[in-house]
Amino acid sequence: MGSQFLSATTALTRRAVFGLAMAAGLVLATQMPAEAAPKTGLTLGMAVEPTGLDPTIAAPVAIGQVTWQNIFEGLTTIDRNGKVQPQLAESWTISPDGLTYTFKLRQGVTFHNGEAFDSSVAKFSIDRARGADSVNPQKRYFASIDTVETPDATTLVLKLKQPAGSLLYWLGWPSSSIVAPKSAADNKTTPIGTGPFKFVSWTKGASVELARNPDYWNKAGAAKLEKATFRFIADPQAQAAALKAGDVDAFPEFGAPELIESLKTDARLATVIGNTELKVVAGMNNAKKPFDDKRVRQALMMAVDRQAVVDGAWSGFGTPIGSHYTPNDRGYVDLTGTYPYDPQKAKALLAEAGYPNGFSFTMKAPQMAYAQRSSQILQAMLAEVGVTMTIETTEFPAKWVADVFKGGNFDMTIVAHAEPMDIDIYARDPYYFAYKNPAFNELLKKVEATSDAAEQEKLYGEAQKILATDVPALYLFVMPKLGVWDKKVAGLWENEPIPSNVLSEVHWTE
Protein backbone atom coordinates (compact mmCIF):
# COMPACT_ATOMS: atom_id res chain seq x y z
CA MET A 1 0.00 0.00 0.00
CA GLY A 2 2.86 2.30 0.92
CA SER A 3 4.54 1.71 -2.38
CA GLN A 4 1.27 2.21 -4.31
CA PHE A 5 0.76 5.52 -2.42
CA LEU A 6 4.29 6.66 -3.24
CA SER A 7 3.84 5.78 -6.91
CA ALA A 8 0.56 7.65 -7.07
CA THR A 9 2.05 10.64 -5.28
CA THR A 10 5.04 10.65 -7.62
CA ALA A 11 2.76 10.50 -10.64
CA LEU A 12 0.65 13.38 -9.32
CA THR A 13 3.78 15.39 -8.59
CA ARG A 14 5.10 14.75 -12.12
CA ARG A 15 1.79 15.84 -13.64
CA ALA A 16 1.85 18.99 -11.49
CA VAL A 17 5.42 19.81 -12.48
CA PHE A 18 4.60 19.16 -16.17
CA GLY A 19 1.55 21.40 -15.85
CA LEU A 20 3.60 24.17 -14.28
CA ALA A 21 6.21 23.82 -17.01
CA MET A 22 3.53 24.05 -19.69
CA ALA A 23 2.08 27.15 -18.06
CA ALA A 24 5.51 28.73 -17.82
CA GLY A 25 6.12 27.91 -21.46
CA LEU A 26 2.87 29.59 -22.41
CA VAL A 27 3.78 32.67 -20.39
CA LEU A 28 7.21 32.80 -22.03
CA ALA A 29 5.67 32.29 -25.47
CA THR A 30 3.32 35.21 -24.97
CA GLN A 31 6.21 37.39 -23.85
CA MET A 32 8.52 36.47 -26.76
CA PRO A 33 8.00 38.23 -30.14
CA ALA A 34 6.44 36.06 -32.83
CA GLU A 35 8.72 35.25 -35.75
CA ALA A 36 7.86 37.71 -38.53
CA ALA A 37 6.53 36.25 -41.74
CA PRO A 38 8.76 36.94 -44.75
CA LYS A 39 7.83 40.14 -46.58
CA THR A 40 6.20 39.66 -49.95
CA GLY A 41 5.49 43.27 -50.89
CA LEU A 42 7.73 46.17 -51.91
CA THR A 43 7.12 49.93 -51.95
CA LEU A 44 9.42 51.64 -54.40
CA GLY A 45 9.83 55.42 -54.65
CA MET A 46 10.06 57.47 -57.83
CA ALA A 47 10.57 61.23 -58.18
CA VAL A 48 8.47 61.60 -61.33
CA GLU A 49 4.97 60.24 -61.85
CA PRO A 50 4.33 58.89 -65.36
CA THR A 51 1.89 60.80 -67.56
CA GLY A 52 0.35 57.51 -68.68
CA LEU A 53 1.17 53.80 -68.52
CA ASP A 54 1.65 52.89 -72.19
CA PRO A 55 5.32 53.26 -73.28
CA THR A 56 4.35 52.65 -76.92
CA ILE A 57 2.48 55.97 -77.26
CA ALA A 58 4.45 58.49 -75.15
CA ALA A 59 8.11 59.30 -74.52
CA PRO A 60 8.57 60.13 -70.79
CA VAL A 61 10.95 57.58 -69.26
CA ALA A 62 8.84 57.32 -66.08
CA ILE A 63 6.29 55.27 -68.07
CA GLY A 64 8.82 52.54 -68.78
CA GLN A 65 10.22 52.78 -65.26
CA VAL A 66 6.86 51.54 -63.98
CA THR A 67 5.70 49.21 -66.75
CA TRP A 68 8.66 47.85 -68.76
CA GLN A 69 9.51 44.24 -67.86
CA ASN A 70 6.94 44.39 -65.08
CA ILE A 71 3.71 44.64 -67.09
CA PHE A 72 4.95 44.78 -70.70
CA GLU A 73 7.48 42.64 -72.57
CA GLY A 74 9.00 42.66 -76.05
CA LEU A 75 10.20 40.23 -78.69
CA THR A 76 13.65 40.87 -77.23
CA THR A 77 14.73 42.46 -73.97
CA ILE A 78 17.77 44.27 -72.58
CA ASP A 79 19.29 42.73 -69.46
CA ARG A 80 20.94 44.41 -66.48
CA ASN A 81 24.27 44.35 -68.34
CA GLY A 82 22.84 46.13 -71.37
CA LYS A 83 22.87 42.98 -73.53
CA VAL A 84 20.07 41.92 -75.88
CA GLN A 85 18.30 38.73 -74.78
CA PRO A 86 15.38 36.72 -76.27
CA GLN A 87 11.98 37.22 -74.66
CA LEU A 88 8.67 36.66 -76.46
CA ALA A 89 10.80 35.62 -79.43
CA GLU A 90 12.77 32.60 -78.26
CA SER A 91 15.20 32.73 -81.20
CA TRP A 92 15.83 34.35 -84.59
CA THR A 93 17.87 34.12 -87.75
CA ILE A 94 19.13 36.94 -89.97
CA SER A 95 19.66 36.53 -93.69
CA PRO A 96 23.22 37.08 -95.02
CA ASP A 97 22.22 40.40 -96.64
CA GLY A 98 20.75 41.64 -93.32
CA LEU A 99 17.34 42.26 -94.86
CA THR A 100 15.26 39.38 -93.45
CA TYR A 101 14.75 38.65 -89.74
CA THR A 102 12.86 35.44 -88.94
CA PHE A 103 11.67 35.09 -85.33
CA LYS A 104 10.54 31.87 -83.65
CA LEU A 105 7.93 32.95 -81.09
CA ARG A 106 7.23 31.41 -77.70
CA GLN A 107 4.14 29.25 -77.34
CA GLY A 108 1.72 29.21 -74.42
CA VAL A 109 2.03 32.95 -73.67
CA THR A 110 -1.13 34.82 -72.68
CA PHE A 111 -1.86 38.42 -71.81
CA HIS A 112 -3.23 39.36 -68.40
CA ASN A 113 -6.76 39.41 -69.87
CA GLY A 114 -6.40 35.86 -71.23
CA GLU A 115 -5.77 36.88 -74.83
CA ALA A 116 -3.24 34.60 -76.56
CA PHE A 117 0.08 35.85 -77.90
CA ASP A 118 1.03 34.69 -81.39
CA SER A 119 2.50 36.04 -84.62
CA SER A 120 -0.68 37.99 -85.47
CA VAL A 121 -0.38 39.89 -82.18
CA ALA A 122 3.31 40.60 -82.79
CA LYS A 123 2.42 41.88 -86.27
CA PHE A 124 -0.35 44.07 -84.81
CA SER A 125 2.08 45.63 -82.33
CA ILE A 126 4.76 46.36 -84.95
CA ASP A 127 2.28 47.68 -87.51
CA ARG A 128 0.70 49.89 -84.83
CA ALA A 129 4.14 51.29 -83.97
CA ARG A 130 5.18 51.99 -87.56
CA GLY A 131 1.85 52.94 -89.15
CA ALA A 132 1.04 56.30 -90.72
CA ASP A 133 -1.03 57.36 -87.71
CA SER A 134 1.44 55.98 -85.13
CA VAL A 135 2.25 58.15 -82.11
CA ASN A 136 5.02 55.79 -80.96
CA PRO A 137 7.82 57.92 -79.47
CA GLN A 138 10.44 55.81 -81.27
CA LYS A 139 8.61 55.35 -84.56
CA ARG A 140 11.93 55.73 -86.36
CA TYR A 141 13.06 52.38 -84.91
CA PHE A 142 10.62 50.71 -87.31
CA ALA A 143 11.32 52.86 -90.38
CA SER A 144 13.57 50.22 -91.95
CA ILE A 145 10.80 47.58 -91.95
CA ASP A 146 9.20 47.01 -95.34
CA THR A 147 6.80 44.14 -94.58
CA VAL A 148 5.69 42.10 -91.56
CA GLU A 149 4.74 38.53 -92.44
CA THR A 150 3.18 35.70 -90.39
CA PRO A 151 3.70 32.36 -92.17
CA ASP A 152 2.27 30.57 -89.11
CA ALA A 153 1.25 31.30 -85.53
CA THR A 154 4.78 30.90 -84.12
CA THR A 155 6.78 32.55 -86.92
CA LEU A 156 7.24 36.26 -87.57
CA VAL A 157 9.22 37.54 -90.54
CA LEU A 158 10.42 41.15 -90.85
CA LYS A 159 11.63 42.15 -94.29
CA LEU A 160 13.65 45.37 -94.32
CA LYS A 161 14.16 48.13 -96.88
CA GLN A 162 17.77 48.51 -95.79
CA PRO A 163 19.96 46.86 -93.14
CA ALA A 164 19.30 47.93 -89.54
CA GLY A 165 22.21 46.80 -87.40
CA SER A 166 20.50 47.93 -84.17
CA LEU A 167 17.08 46.35 -84.83
CA LEU A 168 17.31 43.60 -82.18
CA TYR A 169 18.34 46.20 -79.60
CA TRP A 170 15.50 48.54 -80.58
CA LEU A 171 12.97 45.71 -80.33
CA GLY A 172 13.91 45.34 -76.65
CA TRP A 173 12.96 48.94 -75.84
CA PRO A 174 9.83 49.93 -73.85
CA SER A 175 8.44 51.63 -76.97
CA SER A 176 8.60 48.25 -78.75
CA SER A 177 6.51 46.42 -76.14
CA ILE A 178 4.06 43.85 -77.46
CA VAL A 179 0.46 44.87 -76.84
CA ALA A 180 -2.81 42.98 -77.38
CA PRO A 181 -5.29 44.15 -80.05
CA LYS A 182 -8.30 44.08 -77.69
CA SER A 183 -6.67 46.09 -74.90
CA ALA A 184 -4.14 48.34 -76.68
CA ALA A 185 -6.44 51.39 -76.79
CA ASP A 186 -6.81 51.41 -72.99
CA ASN A 187 -3.21 50.70 -71.99
CA LYS A 188 -2.62 54.35 -71.10
CA THR A 189 -4.75 53.95 -67.96
CA THR A 190 -5.25 50.19 -67.56
CA PRO A 191 -2.18 48.47 -69.04
CA ILE A 192 -2.40 44.81 -69.99
CA GLY A 193 0.72 42.92 -71.01
CA THR A 194 2.37 39.51 -70.76
CA GLY A 195 4.74 40.36 -67.91
CA PRO A 196 5.32 38.92 -64.41
CA PHE A 197 3.11 41.58 -62.80
CA LYS A 198 -0.50 42.64 -63.41
CA PHE A 199 -1.75 46.19 -63.10
CA VAL A 200 -4.05 46.70 -60.10
CA SER A 201 -4.68 50.44 -59.68
CA TRP A 202 -3.37 53.96 -60.24
CA THR A 203 -4.10 56.64 -57.67
CA LYS A 204 -3.17 59.80 -59.56
CA GLY A 205 -0.67 61.95 -57.72
CA ALA A 206 0.22 59.15 -55.31
CA SER A 207 0.91 55.61 -56.47
CA VAL A 208 0.57 52.69 -58.90
CA GLU A 209 -0.06 49.17 -57.58
CA LEU A 210 0.93 45.90 -59.26
CA ALA A 211 0.28 42.29 -58.24
CA ARG A 212 2.09 39.08 -59.11
CA ASN A 213 0.86 37.38 -62.29
CA PRO A 214 0.14 33.75 -61.24
CA ASP A 215 -0.16 32.66 -64.89
CA TYR A 216 3.16 34.07 -66.09
CA TRP A 217 4.55 32.07 -69.01
CA ASN A 218 8.14 32.00 -67.71
CA LYS A 219 7.98 29.89 -64.55
CA ALA A 220 11.72 30.27 -63.95
CA GLY A 221 11.41 34.05 -64.14
CA ALA A 222 8.18 34.41 -62.17
CA ALA A 223 7.99 37.33 -59.75
CA LYS A 224 9.06 36.64 -56.18
CA LEU A 225 7.04 39.54 -54.81
CA GLU A 226 3.27 39.21 -54.39
CA LYS A 227 2.73 42.96 -54.61
CA ALA A 228 4.66 46.05 -55.73
CA THR A 229 3.70 49.67 -55.14
CA PHE A 230 5.29 52.65 -56.89
CA ARG A 231 5.03 55.81 -54.79
CA PHE A 232 5.68 59.20 -56.37
CA ILE A 233 7.61 61.64 -54.17
CA ALA A 234 9.09 64.65 -55.96
CA ASP A 235 10.75 66.47 -53.05
CA PRO A 236 14.21 65.05 -52.14
CA GLN A 237 13.78 65.84 -48.44
CA ALA A 238 10.50 63.95 -48.46
CA GLN A 239 12.21 61.07 -50.27
CA ALA A 240 14.83 60.86 -47.52
CA ALA A 241 12.19 61.06 -44.78
CA ALA A 242 10.15 58.27 -46.39
CA LEU A 243 13.22 56.03 -46.58
CA LYS A 244 14.21 56.67 -42.96
CA ALA A 245 10.65 56.07 -41.74
CA GLY A 246 10.34 52.85 -43.76
CA ASP A 247 7.39 54.24 -45.72
CA VAL A 248 9.26 53.29 -48.89
CA ASP A 249 11.61 50.30 -49.09
CA ALA A 250 13.70 51.54 -52.00
CA PHE A 251 14.49 54.65 -54.01
CA PRO A 252 16.50 53.32 -56.99
CA GLU A 253 17.04 56.90 -58.29
CA PHE A 254 17.39 59.07 -55.21
CA GLY A 255 17.12 62.74 -56.11
CA ALA A 256 19.43 64.49 -53.64
CA PRO A 257 23.14 63.58 -53.78
CA GLU A 258 23.84 66.03 -50.95
CA LEU A 259 21.76 63.85 -48.62
CA ILE A 260 23.50 60.56 -49.45
CA GLU A 261 26.04 60.90 -46.63
CA SER A 262 23.27 61.38 -44.05
CA LEU A 263 21.50 58.24 -45.29
CA LYS A 264 24.71 56.23 -45.00
CA THR A 265 24.46 56.59 -41.21
CA ASP A 266 21.19 54.63 -41.17
CA ALA A 267 22.18 51.03 -40.38
CA ARG A 268 19.01 49.70 -42.05
CA LEU A 269 19.71 51.30 -45.45
CA ALA A 270 22.19 50.52 -48.24
CA THR A 271 23.47 53.23 -50.57
CA VAL A 272 24.40 51.86 -53.99
CA ILE A 273 26.18 54.10 -56.51
CA GLY A 274 25.76 52.78 -60.05
CA ASN A 275 25.91 54.18 -63.57
CA THR A 276 23.22 55.40 -65.94
CA GLU A 277 22.76 56.65 -69.48
CA LEU A 278 21.61 60.09 -68.28
CA LYS A 279 23.76 62.54 -70.22
CA VAL A 280 23.37 66.09 -68.87
CA VAL A 281 23.89 68.44 -71.81
CA ALA A 282 23.18 72.12 -72.38
CA GLY A 283 21.71 72.08 -75.87
CA MET A 284 22.04 75.19 -78.01
CA ASN A 285 19.78 76.38 -80.80
CA ASN A 286 22.27 75.93 -83.64
CA ALA A 287 19.99 77.77 -86.07
CA LYS A 288 20.01 80.98 -84.02
CA LYS A 289 22.69 83.66 -83.61
CA PRO A 290 25.23 83.55 -82.04
CA PHE A 291 24.98 79.75 -81.64
CA ASP A 292 25.03 79.22 -85.41
CA ASP A 293 28.77 80.05 -85.24
CA LYS A 294 30.82 76.99 -84.31
CA ARG A 295 33.51 79.21 -82.74
CA VAL A 296 30.99 80.60 -80.24
CA ARG A 297 29.92 77.10 -79.22
CA GLN A 298 33.53 75.99 -78.86
CA ALA A 299 34.34 79.07 -76.76
CA LEU A 300 31.43 78.36 -74.41
CA MET A 301 32.65 74.78 -74.00
CA MET A 302 36.10 76.07 -72.99
CA ALA A 303 34.47 78.41 -70.46
CA VAL A 304 33.03 75.40 -68.60
CA ASP A 305 34.88 73.48 -65.90
CA ARG A 306 33.02 70.16 -66.12
CA GLN A 307 34.37 68.74 -62.86
CA ALA A 308 33.30 71.90 -61.03
CA VAL A 309 29.81 71.43 -62.46
CA VAL A 310 29.73 67.84 -61.17
CA ASP A 311 31.01 68.94 -57.75
CA GLY A 312 28.62 71.85 -57.40
CA ALA A 313 25.50 70.44 -59.04
CA TRP A 314 25.66 66.80 -57.96
CA SER A 315 27.95 66.65 -54.91
CA GLY A 316 30.81 65.15 -56.89
CA PHE A 317 28.78 62.19 -58.13
CA GLY A 318 28.96 61.94 -61.91
CA THR A 319 31.38 61.49 -64.82
CA PRO A 320 32.43 64.43 -67.06
CA ILE A 321 31.90 63.78 -70.79
CA GLY A 322 33.18 65.41 -73.98
CA SER A 323 30.53 64.15 -76.39
CA HIS A 324 27.00 62.75 -76.35
CA TYR A 325 28.15 59.34 -75.17
CA THR A 326 28.73 57.55 -71.86
CA PRO A 327 31.60 55.32 -70.67
CA ASN A 328 29.05 52.45 -70.56
CA ASP A 329 28.46 52.59 -74.32
CA ARG A 330 30.35 50.47 -76.81
CA GLY A 331 33.03 52.35 -78.67
CA TYR A 332 33.28 55.11 -76.03
CA VAL A 333 36.08 57.63 -76.50
CA ASP A 334 37.04 60.08 -73.73
CA LEU A 335 36.89 63.46 -75.48
CA THR A 336 36.82 65.79 -72.48
CA GLY A 337 40.24 67.02 -73.65
CA THR A 338 38.96 68.28 -77.04
CA TYR A 339 37.93 71.63 -75.53
CA PRO A 340 39.20 71.58 -71.93
CA TYR A 341 38.51 74.36 -69.45
CA ASP A 342 40.45 77.45 -70.56
CA PRO A 343 38.71 80.83 -69.96
CA GLN A 344 41.46 82.83 -71.68
CA LYS A 345 41.22 80.82 -74.90
CA ALA A 346 37.43 81.06 -74.65
CA LYS A 347 37.61 84.89 -74.54
CA ALA A 348 40.00 84.98 -77.50
CA LEU A 349 37.75 82.73 -79.59
CA LEU A 350 34.68 84.84 -78.74
CA ALA A 351 36.55 87.95 -79.90
CA GLU A 352 37.55 86.15 -83.12
CA ALA A 353 33.87 85.31 -83.70
CA GLY A 354 32.94 88.99 -83.31
CA TYR A 355 31.95 89.06 -79.64
CA PRO A 356 34.87 90.73 -77.82
CA ASN A 357 32.46 92.01 -75.17
CA GLY A 358 30.47 88.81 -74.95
CA PHE A 359 26.71 88.59 -75.48
CA SER A 360 23.49 87.83 -73.58
CA PHE A 361 21.09 84.90 -73.87
CA THR A 362 18.43 82.98 -71.95
CA MET A 363 18.75 79.47 -70.54
CA LYS A 364 15.41 77.62 -70.36
CA ALA A 365 16.04 75.29 -67.43
CA PRO A 366 13.53 72.66 -66.26
CA GLN A 367 12.61 72.67 -62.57
CA MET A 368 14.56 69.48 -61.78
CA ALA A 369 17.39 69.94 -59.25
CA TYR A 370 20.22 68.91 -61.58
CA ALA A 371 19.09 71.38 -64.27
CA GLN A 372 18.67 74.30 -61.87
CA ARG A 373 21.96 73.74 -60.09
CA SER A 374 23.95 73.14 -63.29
CA SER A 375 22.46 76.28 -64.84
CA GLN A 376 23.48 78.43 -61.88
CA ILE A 377 27.06 77.13 -62.05
CA LEU A 378 27.20 77.66 -65.84
CA GLN A 379 25.86 81.19 -65.32
CA ALA A 380 28.81 82.05 -63.06
CA MET A 381 31.38 80.41 -65.34
CA LEU A 382 30.12 82.15 -68.50
CA ALA A 383 30.11 85.50 -66.68
CA GLU A 384 33.88 85.02 -66.30
CA VAL A 385 34.26 85.25 -70.10
CA GLY A 386 31.83 88.16 -70.46
CA VAL A 387 28.72 86.19 -71.41
CA THR A 388 25.50 87.01 -69.56
CA MET A 389 23.05 84.14 -69.09
CA THR A 390 19.54 84.67 -67.74
CA ILE A 391 17.89 81.58 -66.26
CA GLU A 392 14.22 81.03 -67.04
CA THR A 393 12.69 78.10 -65.15
CA THR A 394 10.55 76.11 -67.60
CA GLU A 395 8.05 73.53 -66.36
CA PHE A 396 8.96 70.01 -67.47
CA PRO A 397 7.66 68.16 -69.36
CA ALA A 398 4.66 70.09 -70.73
CA LYS A 399 6.01 73.62 -71.26
CA TRP A 400 9.52 72.46 -72.07
CA VAL A 401 8.20 70.10 -74.76
CA ALA A 402 5.97 72.85 -76.22
CA ASP A 403 8.57 75.65 -76.17
CA VAL A 404 11.85 73.85 -76.73
CA PHE A 405 11.36 70.35 -78.11
CA LYS A 406 8.53 71.14 -80.51
CA GLY A 407 8.58 74.95 -80.78
CA GLY A 408 12.32 75.56 -81.11
CA ASN A 409 11.74 78.76 -79.15
CA PHE A 410 14.93 78.90 -77.07
CA ASP A 411 18.59 79.93 -76.99
CA MET A 412 19.94 77.23 -74.68
CA THR A 413 18.36 74.57 -72.48
CA ILE A 414 19.62 71.86 -70.17
CA VAL A 415 18.24 68.32 -69.85
CA ALA A 416 19.46 64.82 -69.08
CA HIS A 417 19.07 62.64 -72.17
CA ALA A 418 18.08 59.22 -70.87
CA GLU A 419 18.12 56.98 -73.94
CA PRO A 420 21.13 54.70 -74.32
CA MET A 421 23.13 55.02 -77.53
CA ASP A 422 21.04 58.01 -78.66
CA ILE A 423 23.86 59.77 -80.49
CA ASP A 424 21.62 59.52 -83.57
CA ILE A 425 19.47 62.42 -82.30
CA TYR A 426 21.98 64.77 -83.95
CA ALA A 427 21.09 63.25 -87.31
CA ARG A 428 17.36 63.73 -86.86
CA ASP A 429 15.66 66.50 -88.80
CA PRO A 430 13.97 68.20 -87.14
CA TYR A 431 15.42 67.95 -83.65
CA TYR A 432 15.55 70.71 -81.10
CA PHE A 433 19.32 71.38 -81.47
CA ALA A 434 18.71 72.30 -85.15
CA TYR A 435 22.15 70.82 -85.83
CA LYS A 436 22.96 69.78 -89.39
CA ASN A 437 26.09 67.97 -90.51
CA PRO A 438 25.88 65.68 -93.59
CA ALA A 439 29.18 63.96 -92.70
CA PHE A 440 27.79 63.00 -89.27
CA ASN A 441 24.56 61.73 -90.84
CA GLU A 442 26.54 59.58 -93.25
CA LEU A 443 28.45 57.95 -90.39
CA LEU A 444 25.21 57.00 -88.65
CA LYS A 445 23.92 55.42 -91.88
CA LYS A 446 27.09 53.32 -92.06
CA VAL A 447 26.52 52.11 -88.49
CA GLU A 448 23.13 50.71 -89.43
CA ALA A 449 24.42 49.23 -92.68
CA THR A 450 26.70 46.80 -90.84
CA SER A 451 26.13 44.20 -88.15
CA ASP A 452 29.90 43.95 -87.50
CA ALA A 453 30.28 45.08 -83.87
CA ALA A 454 33.93 46.18 -84.27
CA GLU A 455 33.10 48.26 -87.35
CA GLN A 456 30.13 49.83 -85.55
CA GLU A 457 32.34 50.79 -82.59
CA LYS A 458 34.87 52.42 -84.89
CA LEU A 459 32.13 54.44 -86.60
CA TYR A 460 30.63 55.45 -83.26
CA GLY A 461 34.08 56.72 -82.25
CA GLU A 462 34.26 58.90 -85.35
CA ALA A 463 30.75 60.22 -84.69
CA GLN A 464 31.68 61.16 -81.12
CA LYS A 465 34.70 63.12 -82.37
CA ILE A 466 32.56 65.15 -84.79
CA LEU A 467 30.21 66.19 -81.97
CA ALA A 468 33.10 66.97 -79.62
CA THR A 469 34.55 69.28 -82.29
CA ASP A 470 31.32 70.91 -83.49
CA VAL A 471 29.85 71.31 -79.95
CA PRO A 472 26.13 71.50 -80.86
CA ALA A 473 25.58 71.15 -77.10
CA LEU A 474 27.73 71.76 -74.05
CA TYR A 475 28.62 68.23 -72.89
CA LEU A 476 28.67 68.23 -69.10
CA PHE A 477 28.40 64.92 -67.25
CA VAL A 478 26.73 61.53 -66.91
CA MET A 479 24.51 61.32 -63.86
CA PRO A 480 25.10 58.43 -61.46
CA LYS A 481 22.42 56.04 -60.30
CA LEU A 482 22.07 56.91 -56.62
CA GLY A 483 20.23 53.94 -55.18
CA VAL A 484 19.08 53.82 -51.57
CA TRP A 485 17.17 50.81 -50.28
CA ASP A 486 16.59 48.50 -47.34
CA LYS A 487 19.60 46.19 -46.93
CA LYS A 488 17.26 43.19 -46.89
CA VAL A 489 15.99 43.97 -50.40
CA ALA A 490 17.83 42.02 -53.11
CA GLY A 491 17.55 41.88 -56.89
CA LEU A 492 17.25 45.58 -57.82
CA TRP A 493 19.47 46.73 -60.68
CA GLU A 494 22.54 48.57 -59.40
CA ASN A 495 23.32 50.04 -62.83
CA GLU A 496 20.88 51.35 -65.40
CA PRO A 497 21.72 50.47 -69.01
CA ILE A 498 18.12 51.46 -69.79
CA PRO A 499 15.74 53.57 -67.65
CA SER A 500 13.82 50.94 -65.69
CA ASN A 501 12.75 49.42 -62.39
CA VAL A 502 12.75 45.72 -63.25
CA LEU A 503 11.16 43.86 -60.33
CA SER A 504 11.02 40.23 -61.50
CA GLU A 505 14.08 39.19 -59.45
CA VAL A 506 13.46 41.44 -56.45
CA HIS A 507 12.89 39.75 -53.09
CA TRP A 508 13.47 40.13 -49.36
CA THR A 509 16.38 38.16 -47.95
CA GLU A 510 14.61 37.65 -44.60
Side-chain angles (χ1 to χ4, degrees):
M1 182 175 176
S3 62
Q4 287 178 347
F5 175 77
L6 284 172
S7 297
T9 303
T10 304
L12 284 168
T13 304
R14 284 175 180 159
R15 283 197 291 271
V17 170
F18 180 73
L20 285 169
M22 285 289 289
L26 287 170
V27 171
L28 284 170
T30 58
Q31 290 175 343
M32 290 174 65
E35 188 173 330
K39 279 183 145 185
T40 58
L42 183 86
T43 300
L44 183 145
M46 284 176 57
V48 178
E49 180 173 13
T51 52
L53 296 174
D54 183 354
T56 70
I57 64 168
V61 295
I63 301 173
Q65 286 176 319
V66 171
T67 63
W68 183 73
Q69 295 304 300
N70 297 324
I71 296 173
F72 293 114
E73 299 179 305
L75 292 176
T76 65
T77 188
I78 299 160
D79 67 16
R80 64 173 68 224
N81 299 312
K83 304 296 184 187
V84 176
Q85 302 292 350
Q87 194 160 66
L88 297 179
E90 62 182 26
S91 62
W92 52 81
T93 56
I94 306 171
S95 62
D97 62 6
L99 295 176
T100 303
Y101 285 65
T102 304
F103 295 90
K104 187 68 176 173
L105 306 183
R106 294 194 189 277
Q107 300 181 53
V109 177
T110 58
F111 286 84
H112 302 151
N113 62 354
E115 197 170 347
F117 164 74
D118 61 15
S119 61
S120 68
V121 173
K123 175 177 167 59
F124 165 82
S125 296
I126 292 171
D127 284 344
R128 175 175 175 262
R130 73 191 188 102
D133 57 351
S134 166
V135 293
N136 190 291
Q138 310 299 351
K139 185 177 178 179
R140 71 188 191 284
Y141 287 175
F142 309 94
S144 62
I145 298 173
D146 188 25
T147 62
V148 183
E149 299 172 7
T150 56
D152 58 58
T154 62
T155 307
L156 181 78
V157 180
L158 303 182
K159 293 194 172 173
L160 311 186
K161 302 169 192 171
Q162 66 271 339
S166 303
L167 183 62
L168 293 173
Y169 180 78
W170 291 336
L171 289 174
W173 261 78
S175 53
S176 301
S177 295
I178 298 296
V179 296
K182 291 178 184 174
S183 55
D186 299 320
N187 278 338
K188 184 177 180 180
T189 53
T190 52
I192 290 175
T194 59
F197 288 91
K198 290 183 173 184
F199 171 75
V200 176
S201 64
W202 182 8
T203 304
K204 296 285 179 71
S207 62
V208 168
E209 279 201 25
L210 309 182
R212 185 177 184 273
N213 174 14
D215 304 313
Y216 186 49
W217 61 269
N218 183 4
K219 299 309 175 190
K224 296 172 174 62
L225 297 170
E226 292 294 330
K227 176 183 165 186
T229 303
F230 291 87
R231 276 192 61 195
F232 309 116
I233 307 172
D235 178 67
Q237 295 286 349
Q239 293 174 12
L243 281 163
K244 287 179 178 178
D247 293 335
V248 298
D249 303 310
F251 233 105
E253 286 188 356
F254 184 66
E258 70 277 6
L259 298 177
I260 286 288
E261 288 304 317
S262 68
L263 291 170
K264 283 181 179 178
T265 62
D266 191 319
R268 190 176 52 82
L269 298 174
T271 54
V272 183
I273 314 301
N275 57 50
T276 74
E277 290 291 323
L278 290 157
K279 299 162 285 286
V280 179
V281 305
M284 291 168 275
N285 189 338
N286 287 236
K288 190 174 185 180
K289 285 187 177 299
F291 307 107
D292 59 345
D293 188 327
K294 180 163 67 173
R295 294 169 299 178
V296 169
R297 304 194 302 266
Q298 292 167 340
L300 295 185
M301 192 72 261
M302 286 191 288
V304 175
D305 182 341
R306 294 177 179 91
Q307 188 57 53
V309 175
V310 173
D311 293 341
W314 225 235
S315 299
F317 296 107
T319 306
I321 50 173
S323 184
H324 197 97
Y325 223 71
T326 82
N328 314 317
D329 298 332
R330 54 202 181 96
Y332 171 75
V333 181
D334 182 356
L335 296 167
T336 49
T338 304
Y339 289 108
Y341 178 54
D342 192 330
Q344 293 309 312
K345 280 189 179 177
K347 284 181 182 177
L349 196 51
L350 282 173
E352 182 187 315
Y355 300 94
N357 302 313
F359 59 92
S360 300
F361 73 95
T362 299
M363 162 74 86
K364 289 197 173 180
Q367 74 275 19
M368 290 87 78
Y370 75 84
Q372 291 290 312
R373 294 172 188 169
S374 297
S375 295
Q376 290 158 12
I377 296 164
L378 289 178
Q379 185 181 50
M381 289 176 176
L382 296 183
E384 293 292 316
V385 298
V387 174
T388 302
M389 181 174 95
T390 301
I391 300 172
E392 179 186 312
T393 300
T394 304
E395 188 271 325
F396 187 94
K399 187 161 175 52
W400 185 88
V401 169
D403 289 357
V404 178
F405 194 76
K406 291 183 178 177
N409 178 26
F410 76 105
D411 299 325
M412 185 184 288
T413 189
I414 184 166
V415 289
H417 284 256
E419 291 183 26
M421 302 290 291
D422 62 348
I423 194 170
D424 69 299
I425 60 178
Y426 295 88
R428 296 180 205 169
D429 188 12
Y431 199 73
Y432 77 89
F433 302 128
Y435 171 70
K436 291 178 173 60
N437 185 327
F440 179 85
N441 298 358
E442 199 57 39
L443 274 175
L444 270 290
K445 286 179 184 174
K446 288 180 180 177
V447 168
E448 289 308 311
T450 178
S451 55
D452 183 314
E455 178 63 17
Q456 284 187 336
E457 289 188 13
K458 178 185 165 211
L459 293 167
Y460 277 130
E462 292 176 28
Q464 290 169 67
K465 288 172 186 171
I466 288 178
L467 295 185
T469 303
D470 280 1
V471 200
L474 302 180
Y475 300 110
L476 303 176
F477 66 100
V478 180
M479 291 178 73
K481 186 175 190 291
L482 302 179
V484 184
W485 52 75
D486 192 300
K487 286 179 178 175
K488 294 177 182 176
V489 172
L492 286 166
W493 286 14
E494 294 186 8
N495 299 314
E496 192 175 71
I498 180 170
S500 58
N501 287 305
V502 180
L503 299 179
S504 55
E505 296 178 1
V506 176
H507 62 282
W508 291 86
T509 57
E510 290 182 26

